């Protein structure tokens, strides 16, 4: 009797499960279709080059020209400011120093994308892609300068001394100043809404999913324990954002510069081993950047892949870094803007180029054995070719990169959420965020993953549209600042 | 005989213009500045905040800033002697706790009149204070 009841119950459960699975499949198919359409719309391409990337590049060229090559002429000043030469903690308002703001913004952008980007660009576009990747990074420096200066200029200092700022604040307040009040408000709401979605999908789901994929590509035995990885990641992030474990939060702040340092050292080590091959590798890069008969995609392939990967790796134009830089302790928005030019430089010009050199010098990019490898696998194979245990170090670096990216980008999402829905419903965002981290490790929703990239890039639309209206004032402020700097009216604080 | 006792009147403020208007009007209602209790409730610190990560911001620094901002705003002689406090937590809970601990006779609170999605997510502090307070609550409606 009992066994019959159990059997009935089991059959009913099985039937229910089939029904639920069928429903889930239908929802999945429907959602995938919608996401695909949106994805195609955002990445509408001409000759393999998405229009949105062309727009980003035009913005980079325009801002570089309008700011009269701020990316080059203010470079030394940026380093001086980060070194603390101009820090004055007593008289200026803000939460953190220039260096601390840079570390937070860097931890949000430097991640697995930087390691994979260069390798993918070379795999698809040939070594010449590396050259165009660098060009894209250099142009991104000017874009980042403009958006972060605006982020700092239109920040809001709350009565408790904490600060909030970012694209939604300069879009609404800045555009109102130039008589575009309505447009500003609309763009700010679109930006915040897209920002929340982007952080949940492109950061929580994607970082957890992609870092797990990258780690298991290096250590395949971990593949069956994806949920443990997700639970560990969600648990650690939860300890910081809900548990308030400040010591761990601090780790997220300092880990990005540390991991960047380790990664750069590892790359230099591999390059040192093959130092005789460096001139030839550089010659290959330059030659294939302009050659119509190069390896991979030739000139067009190199150009498209290089520029496209550069846009994805440094996030210049998406405006997110302006959220972190708004809290910097200074009364000079231009000074903070100048600091941010170092970000695409470190993130794209240095890190991506070093990865590219490693992949080229070790011959991993044209090794037929690695033909079907993903970007991270290719980079890992290149490192492994140099020193056998390097891939394991790479796995650790990737885990920490993902952790620090998740923590820093959580703050960006929180600011978007607060702008749109107020700060009292933050718990809901925290729960969604942690849920998405876990989801990313147990499921591999391909459509969602592709859509994540699209969402981050979609932030460029409302952001750059507003920035174009406001950039003239930034150019005026920049000249005023540099004139005062040259006239030595800006004090250097000797520490 | 007045409708309610005005010995200990509490005005919760959120640094909006409406809340400073409430402070001004209530000051006219009470005889002494010391009859007036003003409270600001801070939201718990966001843990992802750069200042938290780098340990440059904590609840103490926030309270100091709030006090400074308040006394800068209300520096006239008529406000000398008011009781100003800053607490951290859920606004409606903290307002009610404060009223209970300090034997408040009347709470004067401005209402922002939020509607739609922001009302759904934020609710109304005034609404909850009216519902749970043990003393009379005077809600000042937004004039516009």
């Amino acid at each position: 009797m009992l066994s019959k009841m159990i059997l009935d119950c089991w059959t009913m459960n099985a039937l229910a499960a089939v029904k639920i699975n069928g429903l889930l499949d239908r929802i999945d198919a429907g959602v995938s279709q919608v996401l695909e359409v949106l994805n195609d719309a955002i990445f509408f391409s001409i000759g393999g080059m998405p229009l949105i990337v062309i727009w980003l590049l035009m913005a980079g060229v325009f801002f570089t020209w309008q700011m009269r090559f701020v990316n080059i002429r203010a470079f030394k000043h940026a380093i001086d400011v980060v070194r603390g030469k101009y820090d004055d903690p007593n008289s200026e308002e803000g939460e953190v120093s220039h260096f601390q703001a840079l570390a937070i913004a860097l931890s949000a952008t430097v991640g697995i994308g930087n390691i994979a980007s260069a390798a993918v660009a070379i795999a698809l576009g040939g070594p010449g892609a590396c050259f165009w990747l660098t060009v894209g990074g250099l142009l991104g420096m000017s874009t980042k300068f403009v958006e972060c200066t605006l982020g700092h200029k239109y920040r809001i200092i709350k009565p408790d001394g904490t600060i909030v700022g970012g694209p939604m604040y300069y879009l609404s307040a800045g555009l109102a100043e130039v008589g575009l009040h309505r447009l500003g408000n609309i763009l700010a709401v679109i930006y915040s809404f897209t920002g929340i979605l982007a952080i949940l999908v492109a950061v929580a789901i994607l970082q957890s999913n992609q870092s797990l994929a990258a780690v298991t590509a290096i250590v395949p035995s971990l593949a069956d324990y994806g949920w443990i990885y997700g639970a560990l990641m969600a648990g650690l992030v939860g300890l910081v954002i809900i548990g308030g474990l400040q010591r761990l939060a601090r780790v997220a702040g300092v880990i990005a510069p540390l991991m960047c340092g380790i990664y750069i050292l590892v790359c230099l080590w591999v390059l040192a081993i093959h130092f005789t091959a460096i001139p030839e590798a550089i010659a290959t890069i330059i030659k294939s950047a302009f050659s119509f008969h190069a390896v991979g995609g030739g000139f067009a392939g190199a150009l498209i892949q290089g520029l496209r990967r550069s846009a994805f790796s440094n996030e210049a134009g998406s405006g997110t870094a302006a959220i972190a830089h708004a809290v910097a302790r200074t009364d000079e928005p231009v000074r903070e803007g100048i600091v941010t030019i170092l970000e695409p430089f470190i993130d794209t010009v240095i890190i991506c180029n070093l990865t590219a050199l490693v992949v080229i010098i070790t011959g991993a990019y044209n090794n037929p054995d690695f033909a079907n490898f993903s970007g991270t696998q290719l980079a890992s194979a290149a490192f492994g070719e140099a020193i056998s245990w390097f891939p394991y170090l790479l796995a650790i670096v990737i885990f920490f990169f993902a952790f620090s990216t998740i923590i820093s980008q959580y703050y960006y999402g929180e600011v978007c959420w607060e702008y749109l829905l107020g700060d009292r419903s933050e718990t809901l965002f925290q729960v969604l965020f942690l849920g998405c981290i876990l989801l990313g490790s147990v499921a591999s929703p391909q459509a969602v993953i592709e859509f994540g990239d699209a969402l981050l890039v979609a932030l460029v639309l409302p952001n750059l549209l507003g920035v174009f209206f406001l950039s003239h004032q930034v150019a005026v402020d920049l000249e005023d600042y540099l004139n005062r700097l040259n006239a030595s009216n800006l004090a250097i604080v000797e520490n | 005989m007045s409708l309610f006792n005005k010995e200990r009147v509490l005005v919760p403020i959120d640094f909006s213009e409406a809340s400073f208007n409430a402070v001004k009007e209530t000051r006219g209602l009470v005889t002494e500045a010391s009859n007036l209790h003003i409270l600001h409730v801070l939201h718990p610190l966001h843990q992802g905040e750069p200042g938290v990560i780098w340990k440059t911001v904590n609840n103490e620094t926030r309270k100091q800033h709030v006090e400074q901002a308040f006394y800068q705003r209300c520096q006239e002689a008529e406000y000398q002697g008011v009781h100003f406090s800053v607490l951290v937590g859920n606004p409606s809970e903290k307002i009610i706790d404060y009223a209970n601990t300090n034997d408040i006779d009347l709470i004067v609170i401005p209402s922002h009149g939020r509607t739609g999605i922001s009302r759904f997510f934020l609710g109304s502090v005034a609404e909850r204070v009216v519902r749970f307070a043990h003393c009379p609550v005077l809600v000042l409606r937004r004039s516009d």
Side-chain angles (χ1 to χ4, degrees):
Chain A
M1 183 69 183
L2 184 68
S3 62
K4 189 178 178 304
M5 273 172 68
I6 292 172
L7 194 67
D8 281 354
C9 196
W10 183 83
T11 317
M12 276 163 63
N13 277 341
L15 276 173
V18 168
K19 267 186 191 165
I20 290 170
N21 280 340
L23 184 69
L24 284 178
D25 283 347
R26 275 206 297 279
I27 292 174
D28 187 35
V31 170
S32 297
Q33 224 163 12
V34 173
L35 295 186
E36 260 171 48
V37 172
L38 286 172
N39 210 18
D40 289 348
I42 293 170
F43 284 123
F44 181 75
S45 307
I46 296 177
M49 180 68 119
L51 275 183
I52 202 159
V53 176
I54 297 177
W55 200 41
L56 255 175
L57 286 168
M58 280 168 53
V61 173
F62 175 70
F63 293 138
T64 304
W65 168 77
Q66 193 183 30
M67 304 298 145
R68 293 171 50 208
F69 292 89
V70 64
N71 48 354
I72 296 165
R73 62 184 174 134
F75 194 81
K76 187 184 169 293
H77 183 56
I79 293 170
D80 286 343
V81 174
V82 171
R83 284 174 57 207
K85 269 190 162 180
Y86 294 85
D87 282 358
D88 188 359
N90 301 320
S91 69
E92 297 184 307
E93 286 206 83
E95 288 186 20
V96 294
S97 70
H98 296 287
F99 169 76
Q100 290 166 336
L102 180 69
I104 298 271
L106 261 184
S107 66
T109 44
V110 179
I112 36 178
N114 300 79
I115 299 169
S117 278
V120 169
I122 290 167
L124 298 176
C130 186
F131 176 83
W132 296 110
L133 192 97
T134 309
V135 171
L138 292 172
L139 293 173
M141 289 161 78
S142 304
T143 309
K144 218 158 221 187
F145 163 76
V146 179
E147 59 191 16
C148 291
T149 303
L150 287 170
H152 197 280
K153 187 175 175 181
Y154 291 99
R155 64 186 186 163
I156 289 175
I157 300 173
K158 297 185 195 172
D160 67 349
T162 58
I163 290 170
V164 68
M168 48 298 225
Y169 292 92
Y170 61 70
L171 288 172
S172 55
L175 290 180
E177 273 180 18
V178 294
L180 297 166
H181 180 75
R182 213 180 158 80
L183 176 70
N185 278 341
I186 293 171
L187 290 181
V189 168
I190 294 176
Y191 186 90
S192 311
F193 181 71
T194 318
I196 294 168
L197 277 182
I199 300 300
L200 288 177
V201 179
V203 177
I205 294 184
L206 218 65
Q207 284 291 328
S208 138
N209 185 282
Q210 302 296 66
S211 65
L212 173 66
V215 170
T216 51
I218 297 165
V219 193
S221 52
L222 285 175
D224 295 335
Y225 304 100
W227 63 274
I228 296 183
Y229 180 88
L232 178 72
M233 187 66 94
L236 286 176
V237 174
L239 277 177
V240 174
I241 64 173
I242 297 176
L245 196 64
Q246 292 193 358
R247 199 166 290 177
L248 200 59
R250 185 82 188 266
V251 169
V254 294
I255 213 144
L258 183 72
M259 287 294 136
C260 281
I262 291 178
Y263 187 72
I264 290 170
L265 281 178
V266 168
C267 289
L268 290 177
W269 189 333
V270 176
L271 294 182
I273 293 170
H274 297 272
F275 78 97
T276 48
I278 295 177
E280 198 193 323
I282 293 175
T284 311
I285 290 171
I286 306 282
K287 223 189 301 170
S288 66
F290 298 100
S291 160
F292 285 88
H293 307 286
V295 193
F299 170 70
L303 180 79
I304 291 169
Q305 285 305 326
L307 295 180
R308 186 175 166 158
R309 292 293 140 192
S310 158
F312 290 155
S313 84
N314 60 47
E315 288 173 27
S318 73
T320 46
I323 298 175
H325 287 285
V327 304
R329 196 186 309 118
T330 177
D331 296 335
E332 300 275 3
V334 169
R335 185 180 290 163
E336 191 54 30
I338 285 175
V339 166
T340 65
I341 65 174
L342 295 176
E343 261 171 62
F345 185 77
I346 296 171
D347 171 290
T348 307
V349 179
I350 294 185
I351 294 189
C352 287
N353 264 325
L354 284 176
T355 311
L357 276 177
V358 167
V359 171
I360 294 169
I361 281 175
T362 55
Y365 79 100
N366 55 7
N367 185 335
D369 293 345
F370 305 152
N372 297 322
F373 276 21
S374 70
T376 327
Q377 279 174 314
L378 193 62
S380 165
F383 284 111
E385 192 271 343
I387 289 176
S388 62
W389 52 267
F390 266 6
Y392 294 98
L393 184 63
L394 190 65
I396 295 169
V397 169
I398 285 171
F399 177 81
F400 282 109
F401 268 158
F403 175 67
S404 64
T405 301
I406 288 174
I407 296 286
S408 306
Q409 297 258 7
Y410 165 78
Y411 173 66
Y412 296 169
E414 193 185 69
V415 172
C416 291
W417 184 278
E418 187 180 325
Y419 182 83
L420 209 57
L421 302 162
D423 58 4
R424 275 184 278 150
S425 55
E426 189 199 348
T427 316
L428 182 59
F429 181 61
Q430 289 172 335
V431 172
L432 284 173
F433 191 77
L434 294 178
C436 285
I437 294 176
L438 203 57
L439 182 71
S441 69
V442 291
S444 191
Q446 201 50 41
V448 175
I449 286 171
E450 280 169 19
F451 187 54
D453 254 352
L455 273 172
L456 266 186
V457 176
L459 288 173
V460 165
L461 291 170
N463 182 45
L464 284 188
L465 185 61
V467 171
F468 277 123
F469 285 106
L470 302 168
S471 65
H472 172 69
Q473 190 52 46
V474 176
V476 174
D477 291 349
L478 171 65
E479 290 315 313
D480 171 58
Y481 176 82
L482 290 178
N483 286 339
R484 281 185 290 132
L485 184 72
N486 290 336
S488 299
N489 288 340
L490 300 173
I492 291 181
V493 177
E494 295 299 342
N495 295 314
Chain B
M1 190 190 127
S2 72
L3 189 59
F4 34 68
N5 203 336
K6 291 175 293 196
E7 286 299 305
R8 303 167 81 83
V9 182
L10 169 65
V11 185
I13 61 163
D14 60 0
F15 280 83
S16 63
E17 273 315 302
S19 64
F20 281 111
N21 282 340
V23 169
K24 202 174 161 192
E25 285 180 35
T26 314
R27 179 62 191 90
L29 186 76
V30 297
T31 44
E32 298 288 328
S34 59
N35 297 140
L36 189 56
H37 290 245
I38 297 168
L39 172 68
H40 178 67
V41 183
L42 285 169
H43 185 278
L45 208 45
H46 295 305
Q47 295 304 326
E49 187 102 21
V52 175
I53 287 180
W54 286 103
K55 282 189 177 167
T56 50
V57 171
N58 56 43
N59 284 334
E60 280 315 303
T61 62
R62 294 170 79 204
K63 283 182 182 175
Q64 281 166 13
H65 271 100
V66 169
E67 279 172 16
Q68 214 176 345
F70 174 76
Y71 288 115
Q72 215 160 23
R73 173 76 196 238
C74 297
Q75 44 186 272
E76 295 90 345
E78 56 176 335
Y79 295 110
Q80 300 302 315
V82 298
H83 302 273
F84 180 68
S85 309
V86 185
L87 296 173
V88 180
N90 179 296
S92 48
E93 279 173 23
K94 290 291 164 187
I95 292 168
I96 291 159
D97 285 352
Y98 184 91
N100 290 344
T101 350
N102 294 280
D103 295 325
I104 294 298
D105 305 317
L106 168 70
I107 301 174
V108 179
I109 188 167
S111 168
H112 287 288
R114 284 195 178 91
T115 52
I117 190 159
S118 107
R119 185 191 174 90
F120 175 77
F121 277 99
L122 295 176
S124 161
V125 175
E127 208 171 273
R128 267 168 286 176
V129 170
V130 168
R131 200 176 302 157
F132 299 108
H134 295 286
C135 62
V137 180
L138 182 61
V139 180
L140 304 179
R141 298 297 303 180
R142 218 165 57 158
S143 50
D144 54 308

